[in-house]
Amino acid sequence: DVVLTQTPVAQPVTLGDQASISCRSSQSLVHSNGNTYLEWYLQKPGQSPQLLIYKVSNRFSGVPDRFIGSGSGSDFTLKISRVEPEDLGVYYCFQATHDPYTFGAGTKLELK
Amino acid sequence: QVQLKESGPGLVQPSQTLSLTCTVSGFSLTSYHVSWVRQPPGKGLEWMGVIWTGGSTAYNSLLKSRLSISRDISKSQVFLKMNSLQTEDTATYYCARDYYSGPGYWGQGVMVTVSS
């Protein structure tokens, strides 16, 4: 199975700063059809996860443009510019290229 | 609009079978996949399995021997059955509809406790 390794485990931030989360895969996430199915989710306390980014860099409906996904192959990054209070929570990367699908272990974005 | 709602027992005894229902609205099960994802208290997300538009399924390798996902298209319902439950299966269970590939629209989740 594909293992997704997220770093850091926790990211202390000051509001207004930029945050960056890495997700590395144990194998390439390029599908045989040429697409790369790497997604990012945010789970706020007490809520269901919410999709932020799909296919590496595409923002889901309503997601602010301060969320930027990038990367290729097996190395991906989520950047959040100008962190706001509603951005705090746990971020997960997820791959839907290889069966079975898998989540990363999560990165907690928290205030310094 | 797209909605999913999980339902099922809040408490299951060890060694018993868990049965959950995901009732959906706003889309057809023949047009979108539905996945099940769970989250033990204080821990991360675990993808459990998916039922695709054609009715075929795929499962997490570690759960495959205990897990079954099925559906009733006419009732817009997806079912999860998992047998031989243990305390480590205590979790919030979510169903979710795909958006391009992985889960895009999520239910509110249902908490299941495995305890005697």
Side-chain angles (χ1 to χ4, degrees):
Chain A
D1 296 1
V2 172
V3 176
L4 298 178
T5 302
Q6 285 185 237
T7 53
V9 171
Q11 172 84 298
V13 293
T14 300
L15 295 179
D17 280 359
Q18 176 175 282
S20 182
I21 301 169
S22 169
C23 177
R24 290 205 164 110
S25 173
S26 59
Q27 56 185 280
S28 172
L29 296 185
V30 180
H31 194 276
S32 56
N33 65 13
N35 289 314
T36 301
Y37 298 110
L38 186 284
E39 303 180 348
W40 290 95
Y41 295 83
L42 165 60
Q43 187 175 32
K44 300 179 186 179
Q47 295 187 17
S48 302
Q50 57 189 86
L51 176 63
L52 296 174
I53 302 285
Y54 63 96
K55 291 203 295 179
V56 181
S57 59
N58 297 275
R59 279 183 290 274
F60 186 57
S61 175
V63 174
D65 59 9
R66 63 176 181 275
F67 290 90
I68 300 170
S70 63
S72 62
S74 59
D75 197 354
F76 304 92
T77 301
L78 176 70
K79 283 188 166 57
I80 310 155
S81 60
R82 307 180 308 277
V83 170
E84 298 193 5
E86 60 265 30
D87 302 337
L88 302 178
V90 182
Y91 289 79
Y92 297 92
C93 58
F94 173 84
Q95 69 84 21
T97 293
H98 300 287
D99 176 12
Y101 299 167
T102 46
F103 282 98
T107 295
K108 187 173 185 179
L109 190 68
E110 56 192 11
L111 288 177
K112 270 185 189 169
Chain B
Q1 76 270 31
V2 175
Q3 290 187 320
L4 303 95
K5 185 167 184 181
E6 307 86 351
S7 59
L11 180 66
V12 179
Q13 298 213 335
S15 80
Q16 296 302 300
T17 296
L18 172 66
S19 295
L20 296 176
T21 299
C22 173
T23 302
V24 311
S25 60
F27 68 96
S28 169
L29 295 175
T30 58
S31 298
Y32 295 93
H33 319 319
V34 172
S35 290
W36 286 93
V37 175
R38 70 177 180 176
Q39 184 172 39
K43 296 192 176 179
L45 301 171
E46 180 181 33
W47 183 82
M48 299 181 72
V50 63
I51 185 161
W52 281 309
T53 53
S56 59
T57 54
Y59 300 112
N60 179 313
S61 303
L62 297 177
L63 301 175
K64 201 169 189 172
S65 62
R66 301 195 286 139
L67 183 60
S68 173
I69 298 174
S70 60
R71 68 184 183 181
D72 184 329
I73 295 171
S74 65
K75 292 184 178 178
S76 293
Q77 292 180 324
V78 177
F79 309 105
L80 177 146
K81 283 193 192 317
M82 189 162 70
N83 58 31
S84 305
L85 252 60
Q86 301 302 321
T87 55
E88 50 267 33
D89 294 312
T90 292
T92 297
Y93 288 75
Y94 298 97
C95 61
R97 196 209 88 175
D98 75 288
Y99 185 81
Y100 276 95
S101 49
Y105 298 90
W106 295 66
Q108 65 192 23
V110 61
M111 178 66 195
V112 175
T113 301
V114 181
S115 174
S116 53

